[in-house]
Amino acid sequence: MLAFAIALSMLLRGRKPVHWLFAAFAAEVALWYASQSLFGLFKTSIWVRVTAVLTVLLPQVAVHLFQAIVPLEHGAPPARLPRLAALLAIPMLALELSPYHDAPLALGVVYFYVIGLLAAALISLAVRGRRSASRAVRDRVRFLVVVGALATTFTLADFLSFLGVVLPPIGAVLAIVFLFVLAESLTRPRLADLYEMAGRSLVSTALAFSFAGIFYVFVTYVGRFNTMYLNGVLAAMVFLVLFEPLQTEVDRRIHQFFFRERRDLETSIADVRRRLSHVLERQEMVDVLLDGLERSRRATSCAIYLRDQEGNGFDLAGSIGRVRAGPDDGSSPLLARVPERIESLAARPLLDRLLQHASLSLEELSREGRATDVPVLTAASTLGALSGAVVLAVRGDDDDLVGIICVADDRVRDAFTPEEVKILESVAAQIGVAIANSRIYSRMKERDRLAALGAMAAGLAHEVKNPLGAIKGAAQLLDEIAAGAPVDGGAAEWIGIIIEEVNRLDRVVGSFLDYARPHAGNPVPLDVNGAVRRTVQILNSQQVEGVDVALDLAEDLPRARIDAEQFRQVLINLVQNAVQAMDGHGRVFVSTQPKRTPRSSTWTSQIAFTDKNAPSQEPEFVEVSVRDTGPGISQKVLKNLFVPFFTTKDQGTGLGLAISQSIAQTAGGSIDVHTHPGAGTTFTISLPVAVETLGTPRPVDVAPSAIDAIASRSASSP
Ligand code: ADP
């Protein structure tokens, strides 16, 4: 029954040829025992024949299965054993089906045929395993061969019953153990260590005993129904109800008893995870992790690397155990060295692999030694003393690699079982969350600091503005006096410079205050086309010759919701920037168009909201584009375009685009830039469409004089 169950479980887990062969082998073993039992029950000679045929077939299947476990290396000569076995099978079958099948000589021949072939199959498996380049395969095969040899020997002892010697059925038990071990090693990528295998068998056995106990109680004491079937059903129901909790409990207790080390790791990792959820500072997070791993006593060394801001590499954030940062200078032979930094370029294959897998056991990789892993292992050698560690990927919000944790235990080989690696992976995931949290926290702190600084600077600018007004008034007075009185020409020039510079300072301070104290103004449903037309008309009259501004306005443009004066301020900024970029030669095109989605991804949440509430085809945004045929914007300038005070102009304030962006964002929109070096630049403002309700104020337009005032304030060139 158990052998059948193992055969079935294999087919449920995989259907490769080796799985089918295994299932056939396990089924063969099952049938062999079954036919013997049936003979014991019915005493008919047919079952003797069936057993005999199965006996002949058993080593045949075993030969094929053992060959399939370690496939031949590429280019090796084909194996001869299966053919030899097939040749031997024919006379054996003939003998078993002949009338002389129970003659002692015939029994002896069949006995040696079975022993010989099983031994040959095991030896050939052992030889192949020894030749394998992979240490994992070598270990696994050695283990299998030992258990297989024991099972064969004891099973063959069962054969002695044919010769009249009766032994307890140790062979049957060992055959099942062998099938179980074989099945485990075929389905698991890594041979679990003996401890773990023993642990699993123990859990299964303990569960079997508990369930047998339940069944016994039903059959013996609750057996009033007097029907085995009903008792069976009831017992099965009790199993089903109890299975999960009982398995968990048995598992927990057995692991607590036998696998104290793993439990220590589990508890300390659980503790680390709990503490990490309250951590906001990076260094504290590193300390919590290292402290937890140290206390678990499961790692001799551990190092955590965090990605630098530019993303060019990973810097050592902390380490414990027998490692020390820095190059090996031989000063302390007990301390192995780990690098202070891992360069992304040098470790690329390792990092790429970590992007696909949550963890990598470098020891396992080097044992398996596949050609595809060579670049990864070469890259891992940059880890220095940790190149035999389990490397865990720490992922950030966007699933990118933000850190690497290396954990090693150099006291034992195969230091961490797959289950333990899973536990370590969970803590790496938590570190990823902690890093994201710490980033948000430091951004919030920085924002608060900037807000305080901004408030101070705005106060200062305000204080500067008043004396500036007084200086300008005084200078203008002097200018008027100078105009009437005969003063020397030098003085008039100085007065001119004072007024010019005061004007400039006034402009900078005014723009700064606009930026530092953003206010939504008075957002109204604005006729964007009308506003654009009027603004451009006035700008055209002011612009230098050689540049003209062309309009391409969409018809039936919905109104946008924004303060009219602020909108014009943005438009004037963009047009003036375009004109200045072209240095008097070229054209500026201003166009408007309705849009269903905003350009900037910053507003996706807003679309989702709108989509859910109004699934219509109505445009949701109005776009205004200002395109020029200027030189375009270099990458370096592009990066800083919206940074306050960034300017490439002698007389620029560097606040035009920063203010424009802040206005657009306050209105619920965005500004977007596309540039082609040598071919020009397009700035696009996206503004949300005004939802017109009964209470909405009437569309507003601003008098041309207001536009003049803004234009003169925004003009950054004299
Ligand atoms: P300012 O105009 O006072 O320099 P802005 O914030 O308006 O400040 O612009 C910042 C910088 O962006 C400008 O100095 C310029 O280098 C660049 N820039 C803006 N618009 C354009 C454009 N249309 N073409 C090329 N460069 C531009």
Side-chain angles (χ1 to χ4, degrees), residues 577-578 581 628 632-633 641 646-649 652-657 681 683:
N577 273 348
D628 65 53
I633 303 175
L641 215 55
F646 173 82
T647 179
T648 57
K649 300 169 193 165
T653 59
L655 283 168
L657 286 177
T681 306
F683 281 88

Side-chain angles (χ1 to χ4, degrees), residues 349-361:
L350 177 72
L351 303 181
D352 282 349
R353 189 66 76 88
L354 279 176
L355 274 175
Q356 295 156 9
H357 304 277
S359 67
L360 271 185
S361 164

Side-chain angles (χ1 to χ4, degrees), residues 667-686:
S670 61
I671 292 196
D672 195 43
V673 55
H674 284 275
T675 181
H676 302 280
T681 306
T682 308
F683 281 88
T684 306
I685 320 159
S686 297

Side-chain angles (χ1 to χ4, degrees), residues 218-240:
F218 266 89
V219 172
T220 320
Y221 301 106
V222 197
R224 263 196 243 133
F225 302 106
N226 219 10
T227 47
M228 188 66 182
Y229 183 72
L230 198 56
N231 277 321
V233 170
L234 285 176
M237 278 182 171
V238 175
F239 294 164
L240 287 178

